[in-house]
Amino acid sequence: MADTVSAPPAGDRSTIVGKRRAGDTVFLGLSMTASISIMIILAGVAIFLIIKGLPAITGDWSQGDLAGYQNGSWTNFWEYVGPLLWGSIWAALIAMVLGTPVAIGIALFISHYAPRRIAGALGYIVDLLAAVPSIVFGLWGIIVMRPLLIPLGEFLNTYFGWIPLFAGSPSSTGSTLLTGSVVLAVMILPIVTSITREIFLQTPRLHEEAALALGATRWEMIRLSVFPYARSGMVSATLLGLGRALGETMAIALIISPSLIYSVLILTDGYNSQTIAANIALNFPIATDLQRSALIGTGLMLFVVSLAVNILARYIISATGPGAKGRKKGKRS
C-alpha cells in the first residue's frame, strides 16, 4: 500500500511559509516604524496648529492687536480666514484647469506616442521640474510671464469682458491672478504627469493589442482601453496636484498684488484674493504674538483642506481603481 503524506497542522504556518529571515524582520520593523512615525508627525503638526491658533480662533477681534488687523474690520476669525480660503482654492482651481489637460497630454505622449529615447529624455525633464525651487518659479513668473500675459489680458478683457472672470480694468503690470495661476499650473505638471504616465503604462498590454487587432486607431485604442483603466488614477493625480497648488507660497507672494476680499477677477491689479500660504509668508515676520496666532490659525484651515483633498484622492483610488469591483464582490459574499 502506498505511503500517505500527512498534511501539516492547520495552525502551523512555519511549515508552509518557512522561517522568517533576519532581513525580512528588519525591513518589516523599519517599514512599520516609518508608518507610525508619519502618523505621529501628522498628529503633532495638527496639535501644534490647534494649540497655537486657538487664541485667535476663539479671541475677540474687536480689540487688542487683532482690531483692524491688515486694515480689516473683522469681528471674528472666520471673517478673516474666509477670503483667504477662497483665494487659495480659487487660485488652485484655475491652475488645475490650465495645467491638468497639459499634464495628461504630456503623460499620454510619453507613454504611447513618443519613441523610446525621446520618451525617456522627456520624462526625465518633466521629473526634473519637481526639483526647481518655488522662488525660481516666482522669479520666472515676474520676469517672463508677467509681461508676456499683459496682451492676453487686454484681449480677454476687450472681447470677453462680459464674463465676470475677465471684467474690470486689465492690469498694466501683469501682477494678476492669471499670471500666478499659470505659474502654479507649471509647478503641478511634474506631479500630475508622473502619476498619470505610470498609470497609462500599467494598462494591460492585451487590452491595447485586442483593440488594435479589431481595427481601432491608436486614439480609439487609448480612448476605449487606456482611459477607462486609468480613470481613477487620473482623478487621484489631479487631486494630489490640487493639494500641491493649495500650499504654494512664494510664487504667488511674488507675482500677484492681493487683497483680503472675495473676488473672481483674474486680470486686475489689487482685486486678487490673497492665498493663505502667501499671506502667512508676507505677514509672519512683522506680526505680534496674537497676530501670529491668527496666521497659524489660517494655516490650520489650510492643513484641514489639504488633508481632505488627499483623503478624497485615496478614497477614489480605493473605490474605483483596478480590483475595486473584486473587493466589493468579496465583501458581499
Side-chain angles (χ1 to χ4, degrees), residues 65-101:
D65 292 342
L66 296 177
Y69 181 48
Q70 292 184 242
N71 299 321
S73 56
W74 325 112
T75 60
N76 55 64
F77 172 79
W78 305 107
E79 291 183 2
Y80 170 68
V81 76
L84 295 172
L85 271 176
W86 165 252
S88 300
I89 296 173
W90 182 232
L93 288 178
I94 297 175
M96 297 308 301
V97 171
L98 296 175
T100 301

Side-chain angles (χ1 to χ4, degrees), residues 184-271:
L184 279 183
V186 176
M187 296 179 70
I188 66 173
L189 280 180
I191 297 176
V192 182
T193 300
S194 298
I195 296 176
T196 51
R197 178 189 64 201
E198 295 303 320
I199 295 172
F200 289 158
L201 291 173
Q202 291 176 10
T203 304
R205 187 67 179 173
L206 290 177
H207 292 184
E208 299 179 359
E209 293 177 350
L212 294 173
L214 292 173
T217 63
R218 180 172 295 187
W219 168 245
E220 289 173 339
M221 178 271 292
I222 291 172
R223 184 166 54 86
L224 298 175
S225 298
V226 177
F227 283 165
Y229 179 84
R231 184 183 297 113
S232 62
M234 293 164 62
V235 174
S236 62
T238 302
L239 291 177
L240 290 176
L242 176 61
R244 170 74 172 87
L246 285 170
E248 179 49 43
T249 304
M250 293 311 300
I252 292 294
L254 289 174
I255 294 172
I256 69 173
S257 53
S259 299
L260 294 182
I261 57 175
Y262 294 96
S263 175
V264 297
L265 303 179
I266 63 174
L267 302 177
T268 58
D269 282 325
Y271 289 92

Side-chain angles (χ1 to χ4, degrees), residues 26-242:
V26 173
F27 181 76
L28 176 61
L30 292 175
S31 302
M32 186 177 298
T33 302
S35 301
I36 296 174
S37 299
I38 291 175
M39 299 302 296
I40 293 175
I41 293 172
L42 191 64
V45 171
I47 293 172
F48 167 79
L49 293 175
I50 293 173
I51 294 176
K52 293 295 184 178
L54 198 60
I57 294 175
T58 59
D60 185 3
W61 283 64
S62 61
Q63 57 185 355
D65 292 342
L66 296 177
Y69 181 48
Q70 292 184 242
N71 299 321
S73 56
W74 325 112
T75 60
N76 55 64
F77 172 79
W78 305 107
E79 291 183 2
Y80 170 68
V81 76
L84 295 172
L85 271 176
W86 165 252
S88 300
I89 296 173
W90 182 232
L93 288 178
I94 297 175
M96 297 308 301
V97 171
L98 296 175
T100 301
V102 177
I104 294 176
I106 295 173
L108 192 61
F109 177 76
I110 293 174
S111 61
H112 285 81
Y113 284 95
R116 182 171 299 179
R117 291 183 179 179
I118 297 177
L122 186 58
Y124 176 77
I125 293 173
V126 172
D127 293 339
L128 193 62
L129 284 175
V132 178
S134 300
I135 189 69
V136 175
F137 279 110
L139 294 174
W140 171 71
I142 292 174
I143 299 171
V144 178
M145 295 308 299
R146 283 202 312 182
L148 190 64
L149 291 177
I150 290 176
L152 176 61
E154 294 175 350
F155 172 82
L156 293 174
N157 180 260
T158 301
Y159 294 98
F160 299 97
W162 51 272
I163 301 177
L165 297 180
F166 311 130
S169 300
S171 172
S172 59
T173 63
S175 298
T176 64
L177 191 60
L178 176 62
T179 305
S181 298
V182 169
V183 174
L184 279 183
V186 176
M187 296 179 70
I188 66 173
L189 280 180
I191 297 176
V192 182
T193 300
S194 298
I195 296 176
T196 51
R197 178 189 64 201
E198 295 303 320
I199 295 172
F200 289 158
L201 291 173
Q202 291 176 10
T203 304
R205 187 67 179 173
L206 290 177
H207 292 184
E208 299 179 359
E209 293 177 350
L212 294 173
L214 292 173
T217 63
R218 180 172 295 187
W219 168 245
E220 289 173 339
M221 178 271 292
I222 291 172
R223 184 166 54 86
L224 298 175
S225 298
V226 177
F227 283 165
Y229 179 84
R231 184 183 297 113
S232 62
M234 293 164 62
V235 174
S236 62
T238 302
L239 291 177
L240 290 176
L242 176 61

